[in-house]
Amino acid sequence: MIRQARRGLVRVHRKVNSLGNRRSCSLCGWKGFAFETLGSIKATRRRGRCPTCRAKERDRAFPFLARDLRTEGKDVLHVAPEPNIVELLRRDSRSYLSIDLNSPLAMQHMDLTELDIPDAAYDLIMCSHVLEHIPDDRRAMSEMFRVLRPGGELWVSVPVVGESTYEDWSKQTPQERIEAFLQYDHVRIYGLDIADRLASVGFSVEVLSTEQLPPEDVTREGLATRRPTRIFLCRKREAGDRSAQ
């Protein structure tokens, strides 16, 4: 009875919440008074999740930061697919493949450090909140560089704290990793110098941030968090392009 009563209260709350238009979700079109609160050991996020499609802040930020992303006629590789982003990447693409090491949401299971994909097979790769889980992240970056065609783009997002990446391989227990890296299955906390790691395997890198967005978009879409959401737009140079990385 208590569980049923709670479910009923949740349904009523969501219905009342949907009557407003102070907030909106860029991915599903929901409008309402407030996003749902998400909690963690480190912080509580009052604008955490869309009550309809469950998109988190970083998901809702993607359409704004990736306004120049084009999928028309492109072969697209999606690493660790987020359900809210799949249709944006699949739409108008020539082909679409999602991969993950274990997730049932992925079309194929692959290790990002050892991709079973030919060289220069894709025009566009999306890789969001994956690299912080991989011990040999430079190997994963190199593999994505390898399977990307010249002129292609890799869109990378990771949690970023400060300027310098922090790694400590002595942190092995879940509690140690939560305290050091914010989450039990993270192996590092990236700084803005992730751009240097990406450049070291051959990419030119541009940093996109919610700090660059109009304040009204940030407020309406609930994108303000303790740390800005950033996307690292990485391009594989065309053959013969001698411009600086």
Side-chain angles (χ1 to χ4, degrees), residues 83-209:
N84 300 297
I85 305 297
V86 168
E87 184 55 31
L88 290 177
L89 297 178
R90 187 195 296 268
R91 184 188 308 155
D92 301 324
S93 65
R94 178 166 54 193
S95 71
Y96 170 89
L97 174 66
S98 62
I99 63 169
D100 191 273
L101 189 60
N102 299 305
S103 172
L105 298 177
M107 297 165 67
Q108 293 185 27
H109 290 165
M110 287 192 202
D111 183 341
L112 193 58
T113 65
E114 196 170 347
L115 291 173
D116 185 19
I117 295 174
D119 294 353
Y122 286 93
D123 304 292
L124 174 66
I125 302 175
M126 177 67 185
C127 180
S128 178
H129 286 244
V130 175
L131 293 173
E132 67 272 19
H133 299 268
I134 299 178
D136 193 352
D137 62 337
R138 286 183 175 84
R139 175 71 179 269
M141 294 172 186
S142 295
E143 276 291 89
M144 289 189 285
F145 185 87
R146 177 183 66 80
V147 304
L148 199 63
R149 292 179 180 130
E153 296 177 344
L154 164 66
W155 295 70
V156 169
S157 181
V158 295
V160 173
V161 179
E163 297 292 326
S164 301
T165 297
Y166 171 56
E167 294 174 318
D168 183 345
W169 300 109
S170 71
K171 308 296 185 183
Q172 293 293 320
T173 70
Q175 187 59 38
E176 287 175 335
R177 287 183 172 179
I178 288 171
E179 292 174 357
F181 311 130
L182 305 181
Q183 196 165 306
Y184 77 94
D185 54 352
H186 287 182
V187 297
R188 69 181 59 82
I189 280 291
Y190 282 108
L192 287 171
D193 60 354
I194 183 181
D196 298 329
R197 294 194 183 203
L198 291 161
S200 72
V201 303
F203 288 111
S204 63
V205 184
E206 176 183 357
V207 184
L208 308 175
S209 172

Side-chain angles (χ1 to χ4, degrees), residues 5-22:
R6 286 176 177 172
R7 289 175 179 172
L9 287 173
V10 169
R11 287 195 294 269
V12 170
H13 172 75
R14 287 180 176 173
K15 185 172 183 179
V16 172
N17 191 26
S18 67
L19 298 176
N21 59 7
R22 293 175 62 248

